């Protein structure tokens, strides 16, 4: 089984719960692909790090940056901070320079390289100039994860092999393409999107947001159509991308939901297991025949 872990900001913590449930059930994972938030969970699995809310929470979450996008606190102060960041971003390529993120990832992954990890890993990113899906199979893990989660305008693009790479969700919301490069096994697409809600826009800003969301929804549908099984970890109610107060609840949701899908995941692997069993029977039978004739 090869897993394709999609993006979704804080909803990515549901991936960690799902991975824990799969590991506890003893289901074999032949490879894992990750995009955006899914890249963190995929990297933790491949690097054999704990599949818990920590250490990701303490290493990669920038509380000050998250507060900029949340509606809590003093609105005027929040708006002043946002305007200050946006004004500075006019002279740069992003609101945040990602320095805090890089430091945290270095503490977490060190100098690990993708091709050296215990489980085959593919990191999904997007070419900023062409919109192509770029699948990273080798290179520094820290740089790859940063590229895959470089939300346009929030974090700067990452230079890689003559390209400028940004958030993998720009090209493919759930990285089925990347997962298919890891081998012939069945691909499970894990979706941690927000629930889709139809509504009429109230202003021009909402129109722009809805147009962007419509594009993302289409990319997601196209990707999941090519998966062998879809594990939906879509929460009942929308969860803001930066609402890290929901991390533990999302982790538990991912764990329990995946446990309920274990029979289907086991059935997905059954043909492969039956094929291996038949092959072993055939080899054993041939040996017995040789023994009888000798």
């Amino acid at each position: 089984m090869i897993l394709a872990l999609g993006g979704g900001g804080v909803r990515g913590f549901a991936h960690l719960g799902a991975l824990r449930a799969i590991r506890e059930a003893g289901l074999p994972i032949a490879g894992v692909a990750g995009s955006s938030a899914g890249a963190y969970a995929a990297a933790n699995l491949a690097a054999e790090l704990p599949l818990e809310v920590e250490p990701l929470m303490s290493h990669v979450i920038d509380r000050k940056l998250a507060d900029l996008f949340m509606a809590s606190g003093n609105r005027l102060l929040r708006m002043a901070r946002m305007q200050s960041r946006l004004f500075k971003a006019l002279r740069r390529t992003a609101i945040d320079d990602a320095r805090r993120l890089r430091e945290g990832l270095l503490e977490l992954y060190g100098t690990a390289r993708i091709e050296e990890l215990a489980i085959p890993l593919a990191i999904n990113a997007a070419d900023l100039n062409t919109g192509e899906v770029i699948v990273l199979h080798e290179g520094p893990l820290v740089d790859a994860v940063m590229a895959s989660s470089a939300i346009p305008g929030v974090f700067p693009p990452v230079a890689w092999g003559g390209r400028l790479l940004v958030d993998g969700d720009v090209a493919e919301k759930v990285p089925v393409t990347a997962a298919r490069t890891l081998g012939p096994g069945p691909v499970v697409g894990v979706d941690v999107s927000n629930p889709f809600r139809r509504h009429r826009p109230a202003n021009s800003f909402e129109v722009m947001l809805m147009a962007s969301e419509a594009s993302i929804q289409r990319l997601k549908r196209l990707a999941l159509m090519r998966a062998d099984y879809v594990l939906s970890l879509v929460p009942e109610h929308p969860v803001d991308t930066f609402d890290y107060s929901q991390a533990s609840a999302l982790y538990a949701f991912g764990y329990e939901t995946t446990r309920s899908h274990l029979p289907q995941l086991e059935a997905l692997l059954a043909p492969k297991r039956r094929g291996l069993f038949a092959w072993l029977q055939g080899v054993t039978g041939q040996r017995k025949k040789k023994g009888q004739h000798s």
Side-chain angles (χ1 to χ4, degrees):
M1 175 170 59
I2 299 171
L3 301 174
L5 310 182
V10 69
R11 297 184 302 279
F13 281 99
H15 284 313
L16 291 176
L19 293 175
R20 175 188 159 199
I22 291 171
R23 186 174 64 183
E24 288 180 354
L27 299 183
I29 298 175
V32 59
S35 180
S36 197
Y40 293 96
N44 271 32
L45 176 72
E48 298 185 308
L49 293 176
L51 301 176
E52 305 291 340
V53 173
E54 294 290 347
L56 270 184
M57 181 65 80
S58 59
H59 282 79
V60 305
I61 304 308
D62 187 333
R63 299 284 185 181
K64 292 182 179 179
L65 180 62
D67 287 346
L68 284 175
F69 296 92
M70 298 301 294
S72 60
N74 186 308
R75 174 169 289 191
L76 291 177
L77 181 59
R78 178 172 166 265
M79 288 179 64
R81 288 173 177 170
M82 179 67 84
Q83 284 183 329
S84 175
R85 288 261 192 162
L86 289 173
F87 186 75
K88 291 178 181 178
L90 292 175
R91 302 191 299 272
R92 301 188 306 217
T93 57
I95 292 174
D96 190 87
D97 61 10
R99 183 173 56 189
R100 165 71 182 89
L101 177 60
R102 175 174 287 278
E103 290 173 354
L105 288 176
L106 284 170
E107 292 174 4
L108 197 59
Y109 302 133
T111 59
R113 295 181 62 84
I114 299 172
E115 66 271 22
E116 298 171 351
L117 300 177
I119 295 175
L121 172 67
I123 297 293
N124 188 55
D127 186 306
L128 179 60
N129 287 292
T130 66
E132 293 175 81
V133 173
I134 305 298
V135 182
L136 307 177
H137 290 108
E138 57 184 26
L141 182 58
V142 168
D143 291 341
V145 172
M146 288 193 67
S148 184
S149 58
I151 303 171
V154 177
F155 296 120
V158 174
W160 189 294
R163 296 178 182 266
L164 286 178
L165 303 185
V166 294
D167 196 304
D169 286 6
V170 169
E172 190 171 58
K173 181 71 173 175
V174 181
V176 175
T177 296
R180 291 288 182 198
T181 67
L182 292 172
V187 170
V188 176
V190 188
D191 179 22
V192 294
S193 304
N194 262 329
F196 178 68
R197 295 283 188 268
R198 290 183 179 274
H199 67 280
R200 289 185 176 276
N203 51 54
S204 60
F205 184 65
E206 282 196 5
V207 171
M208 289 187 288
L209 289 178
M210 288 176 66
S212 175
E213 181 61 25
S215 177
I216 290 172
Q217 289 292 331
R218 180 176 178 275
L219 288 174
K220 184 184 78 170
R221 289 194 299 270
L222 289 173
L224 292 178
M225 284 172 59
R226 295 184 291 107
D228 296 294
Y229 186 79
V230 176
L231 174 55
S232 176
L233 301 182
V234 176
E236 182 178 356
H237 303 289
V239 178
D240 190 275
T241 298
F242 294 96
D243 187 2
Y244 293 106
S245 67
Q246 300 295 315
S248 294
L250 288 161
Y251 177 87
F253 168 69
Y255 177 75
E256 294 299 336
T257 303
T258 302
R259 280 175 55 85
S260 71
H261 281 258
L262 289 177
Q264 291 90 334
L265 294 175
E266 290 171 350
L268 184 69
L269 293 171
K272 187 175 182 179
R273 287 178 172 175
R274 284 199 298 268
L276 177 60
F277 182 67
W279 178 80
L280 288 172
Q281 281 188 318
V283 171
T284 303
Q286 288 177 359
R287 287 176 178 173
K288 285 184 177 178
K289 285 182 181 180
K290 286 183 180 179
Q292 291 171 355
H293 291 296
S294 60

